[in-house]
Amino acid sequence: MQIGGLQKHSLIDFPGRISAVLFLTGCNFRCPYCHNPQLVARPAPGGMGLSTAAVEAFLQERRGLLQGVVLSGGEPTLQPGLPALCRRLKAMGYAVKLDTNGSRPRVIRRLVAEGLVDYLAMDIKTDLARYAGCFSRRCDAAAVGEGIRRVMEAGVDYEFRTTCAHPLITPAVIERIARLISGSRLYALQPARPGRMLRPDFFAGTDPSPSAAEMEALRRRAAPWVQRCLLR
């Protein structure tokens, strides 16, 4: 496993559980507003990172204090060792939450079928027709759509999330996403964070973050289509 970072304690990343967060390196998307640009490219062999053994030793020590582990990124489903890591975490007694962009639905299906995840959080970047170009040079929109279905049909707790950034997200785009996930349990909207981003030039020196009023308007646009829509 290529582990780029470890947050040792979190009260907010895994709903209802005190958790640690593992940040796995490598991503197949290039979101302009990504606030973890150091995790996008996989490190060269021998490069910086945390050893799996050191992370597992830490988690062994925290058994009984932590209740869950969040696997975030980057995009965790790109790593072939992900199922084995989930098995080890489950064997330690941890609940597992997966943060994913949904582009590898077969991996999601495998993890669910083997009972290796307890919570799924999928980021939906925009409506499916607009992925190519803004988020990936080559994007299989059908795979992302299948990822959405896998999450909704998994039989475990889940949420969808969208990071809202000008000019990528508009009220019309948010409504199309909400229609796509119609009936889903939870849809969370969050503003893009100013500051460190993967591609700041994309925004031509302007602040991509919507105002509080704009975020509330986006929430109202999405709310009729899902069971619960909230702002983060």
Side-chain angles (χ1 to χ4, degrees), residues 21 33 43 46 52 83 86 94 107-108 139 168 204 206 211 231:
V21 184
Y33 49 73
T52 304
C86 291
Y94 287 111
V107 177
I108 296 173
C139 178
L168 297 168
T206 62
S211 67
L231 299 179

Side-chain angles (χ1 to χ4, degrees), residues 26-29 31 71-78 82 98-109 111 120-126 128 131 135 139-152 159-161 180-181:
C27 190
N28 53 342
F29 287 174
C31 304
L71 302 177
S72 191
E75 174 49 42
T77 62
L78 294 176
L82 181 62
L98 176 68
D99 292 347
T100 179
N101 62 27
S103 63
R104 292 171 60 80
R106 292 182 181 179
V107 177
I108 296 173
R109 179 179 62 184
L111 296 175
L120 293 164
M122 178 175 169
D123 290 295
I124 302 179
K125 311 299 182 180
T126 185
L128 298 185
Y131 266 72
F135 301 98
C139 178
D140 186 350
V144 176
E146 183 182 348
I148 291 172
R149 293 190 295 275
R150 293 292 179 190
V151 169
M152 294 184 71
E159 66 181 64
F160 294 107
R161 310 181 296 204
L180 183 64
I181 60 171

Side-chain angles (χ1 to χ4, degrees), residues 166-197:
H166 294 307
L168 297 168
I169 295 297
T170 66
V173 168
I174 285 295
E175 182 170 340
R176 286 197 291 271
I177 296 172
R179 286 173 177 263
L180 183 64
I181 60 171
S182 179
S184 62
R185 297 178 183 178
L186 175 60
Y187 185 28
L189 305 179
Q190 56 198 28
R193 300 178 187 178
R196 184 177 60 175
M197 294 184 289

